[in-house]
Amino acid sequence: MRVLVAGGAGYIGSHVVKALLEGGHETITYDNLSKGHVEALHGGEFIQGDILDQDRLSRVLQERKVDLVIHLAADTAVGESMVNPAKYYWNNVVGGLKLLDSMRSAGVKYIVFSSSAAVYGEPAHIPIREDAPCNPTNVYGETKLIFERMLASYDRSYGLKYVSFRYFNAAGADPSGAIGEDHDPETQLIPLVLQTALGLRPSIEIFGIDYDTPDGTCIRDFIHVSDLASAHVLAAEALLGGMGSRIYNLGNETGNSVREVIRVCEEVVGHKIPVKEGPRRPGDPAMLVASSELARRELGWTPRFPDLKDIVATAWNWHKNHPYGFAGARGR
């Protein structure tokens, strides 16, 4: 199949592109490089472009005769979404709408969407199932939920078929060490802890120590980025094979607290990591752990890296060899 990966030069996107290529598929990465890196791509075609540029995107989809779109071109920082909501509604909602209408004009009927467990908000039951109520507590999660509802409407009215993946904390790096996580600014826990271990930050800050959890810190479900990538490939193949629209959670079905993550990182790097305790961030639920039983059963998806220590080890392999990310090779 020929797949356009919107946001394919980003962290998750580059791993998805790699998995598609290894599966024998053709890829067109469409990315504005606001957060992505050309160096993260090791094959396929690359086009620098923005999903808000509907005319250009429509032309690319038509000219390349794209079979399916994988959509990962979103702004994703929870904290930023609460102080700058306009940015998130503009890119995640308006940009998503332009992407869908570009697909309509080009006759592309299939899409795999990178959603988030943030659509659930504060869940009533753990682990979270796909039929749990959606009440996001932050703007980021709200924009993801809006787009999911748009997908359902486009399915009913225009026959567009989709898979929406709800997951929370992508982590780790490709086992080869060739690609990994490089955000500027960095907002994700594991790379922040490992940057602190490398001496690039004075300490790692824990945002909130008074949550209703065993050690008072937030609990999240960490999933290896390569496992996420394999699920996207399985979903794309299933859609083109005739499967109808679906929503799936993706996770390891076990949660780890912020303090536990720091402890595991210390085990992997072999020394203590300085910690600072701070107040809660607006919009952070206490606990998010997903049930992935449906994806396992229907897609045949099986995570290769269910253990947090293995996830951290692949991340450390990337960060210790690329302390300044992709820019390190170019000079910073």
Side-chain angles (χ1 to χ4, degrees):
M1 59 188 171
R2 185 171 296 162
V3 182
L4 183 135
V5 185
Y11 170 47
I12 299 174
S14 59
H15 287 79
V16 170
V17 169
K18 184 174 186 291
L20 285 164
L21 292 170
E22 288 174 348
H25 304 298
E26 296 180 53
T27 63
I28 301 102
T29 295
Y30 187 88
D31 197 301
N32 66 7
L33 297 184
S34 62
K35 296 183 288 292
H37 307 273
V38 174
E39 297 91 340
L41 299 170
H42 295 270
E45 182 182 4
F46 171 70
I47 297 172
Q48 186 168 351
D50 198 297
I51 58 172
L52 288 162
D53 188 346
Q54 186 173 339
D55 290 341
R56 184 169 191 223
L57 184 52
S58 296
R59 288 196 304 272
V60 169
L61 290 168
Q62 289 172 336
E63 292 170 359
R64 300 308 193 277
K65 296 181 172 55
V66 168
D67 297 309
L68 177 143
V69 169
I70 296 180
H71 177 27
L72 301 113
D75 290 308
T76 60
V78 168
E80 182 188 46
S81 79
M82 300 298 285
V83 297
N84 189 7
K87 177 181 180 183
Y88 282 72
Y89 287 116
W90 187 251
N91 187 51
N92 295 3
V93 178
V94 177
L97 179 61
K98 288 178 178 287
L99 171 60
L100 291 181
D101 281 343
S102 297
M103 291 173 61
R104 282 186 64 206
S105 67
V108 180
K109 293 283 192 179
Y110 306 99
I111 182 171
V112 178
F113 173 51
S114 172
S115 188
S116 170
V119 301
Y120 294 114
E122 289 281 4
H125 303 284
I126 297 293
I128 310 165
R129 292 167 49 92
E130 288 85 352
D131 57 1
C134 291
N135 298 295
T137 58
N138 53 67
V139 173
Y140 164 63
E142 186 174 330
T143 62
K144 291 288 191 177
L145 183 58
I146 290 170
F147 189 76
E148 283 195 3
R149 289 171 173 163
M150 289 162 56
L151 287 173
S153 295
Y154 273 56
D155 184 0
R156 288 191 298 269
S157 298
Y158 309 120
L160 179 142
K161 299 303 175 188
Y162 66 90
V163 167
S164 181
F165 282 129
R166 295 171 176 172
Y167 48 85
F168 202 84
N169 282 70
D174 187 78
S176 71
I179 53 176
E181 194 162 6
D182 180 6
H183 300 120
D184 186 16
E186 185 56 73
T187 61
Q188 299 300 310
L189 177 60
I190 289 175
L192 289 173
V193 176
L194 296 179
Q195 287 175 5
T196 305
L198 287 166
L200 302 176
R201 296 174 180 272
S203 61
I204 179 66
E205 184 170 4
I206 299 175
F207 294 105
I209 58 171
D210 59 348
Y211 286 95
D212 185 18
T213 60
D215 66 15
T217 64
C218 286
I219 291 176
R220 294 293 182 265
D221 189 337
F222 292 86
I223 179 169
H224 197 282
V225 64
S226 295
D227 289 330
L228 288 180
S230 69
H232 284 71
V233 177
L234 288 171
E237 292 171 344
L239 282 172
L240 287 174
M243 184 182 76
S245 296
R246 297 283 196 278
I247 293 174
Y248 295 117
N249 290 335
L250 293 179
N252 281 323
E253 301 181 315
T254 58
N256 297 98
S257 73
V258 174
R259 290 196 192 278
E260 287 175 325
V261 170
I262 294 170
R263 177 183 55 77
V264 170
C265 288
E266 289 176 337
E267 288 181 18
V268 171
V269 305
H271 60 78
K272 295 291 289 182
I273 297 171
V275 174
K276 183 173 79 171
E277 296 176 355
R280 295 186 184 192
R281 293 182 303 188
D284 270 348
M287 184 180 300
L288 286 173
V289 179
S291 167
S292 301
E293 189 274 333
L294 192 62
R296 293 170 187 265
R297 174 161 45 87
E298 293 192 356
L299 294 178
W301 176 71
T302 303
R304 292 170 54 211
F305 302 95
D307 186 81
L308 180 63
K309 190 169 184 178
D310 293 335
I311 294 172
V312 171
T314 61
W316 178 237
N317 182 48
W318 159 259
H319 285 286
K320 71 181 179 182
N321 291 310
H322 303 83
Y324 298 105
F326 293 104
R330 304 190 301 268
R332 207 174 178 98

